[in-house]
Amino acid sequence: MRILIVNGPNLNLLGTREPEIYGKMTYESLNEELQAYAKKNKLSLEIRQSNLEGIIIDLLHYAAFEKFDGVCLNAAAYTHYAYAIYDAIKAIDVPVVEVHLTDPARRPEPFRKVSVIEDACVATFKGEGITSYKKAIAYLCGVENHDH
Ligand code: DQA
């Protein structure tokens, strides 16, 4: 099983970015913990991050060209307005799961209430920090009792 994780804008700043909202775990630690999770569950995980919409779209195409089994996508703020990412998810034959550390709909800014990519994704996991990612990976593997 090969899974690609794609992280969008500002997620590279985890640890120092609004820690009262996103927590103190750094982006590097997040990746290390997810790689340890993948190893424990005998998966191959590639993790990429970009602050640019076009690169995120290229990474979705890459997932299809390289025949990944699934993508976990935290499109960050692009979630709320990037129709080209919606189109890219629809354009590939790889299942994409939407992931968020927080639950955007429960946050105060009105623009976060809408996810324009949700309908193109096979599932959404949100509001559980790193566990949102682990649940998304487990979902793609079709496994309920992954060792978290
Ligand atoms: C986020 C939620 C988005 O609303 C926000 O723009 C982010 C991070 C999350 O993981 O909680 O950058 O996707």
Side-chain angles (χ1 to χ4, degrees):
M1 198 79 185
R2 282 170 73 225
I3 307 283
L4 177 67
I5 295 189
V6 178
N7 285 312
N10 302 306
L11 290 167
N12 56 311
L13 298 182
L14 281 180
T16 55
R17 174 194 186 196
E18 299 184 280
E20 67 287 1
I21 294 173
Y22 294 108
K24 288 194 179 142
M25 181 183 259
T26 64
Y27 185 65
E28 290 68 30
S29 306
L30 178 98
N31 289 352
E32 278 168 23
E33 192 172 326
L34 290 176
Q35 286 295 2
Y37 174 75
K39 194 171 174 195
K40 205 186 280 182
N41 290 289
K42 299 186 172 50
L43 307 167
S44 157
L45 197 63
E46 183 171 332
I47 305 177
R48 306 287 289 267
Q49 189 275 333
S50 177
N51 294 321
L52 302 178
E53 183 177 358
I55 292 181
I56 292 167
I57 292 166
D58 284 346
L59 285 168
L60 291 166
H61 297 178
Y62 163 75
F65 295 146
E66 294 295 324
K67 298 193 185 332
F68 277 82
D69 297 298
V71 175
C72 299
L73 171 64
N74 186 344
Y78 285 135
T79 302
H80 311 300
Y81 65 97
Y83 297 109
I85 293 180
Y86 171 91
D87 280 348
I89 298 167
K90 295 287 264 190
I92 60 172
D93 57 1
V94 180
V96 178
V97 177
E98 178 183 8
V99 176
H100 300 285
L101 293 160
T102 64
D103 181 348
R106 288 174 173 268
R107 291 175 57 183
E109 300 95 334
F111 75 85
R112 290 191 212 279
K113 307 277 180 238
V114 173
S115 165
V116 302
I117 64 168
E118 186 175 15
D119 288 349
C121 293
V122 293
T124 300
F125 294 92
K126 59 189 177 181
E128 297 189 81
I130 193 170
T131 303
S132 300
Y133 286 85
K134 292 178 183 175
K135 286 187 173 174
I137 294 167
Y139 179 90
L140 284 167
C141 295
V143 180
E144 292 300 317
N145 58 347
H146 255 210
D147 187 357
H148 293 291

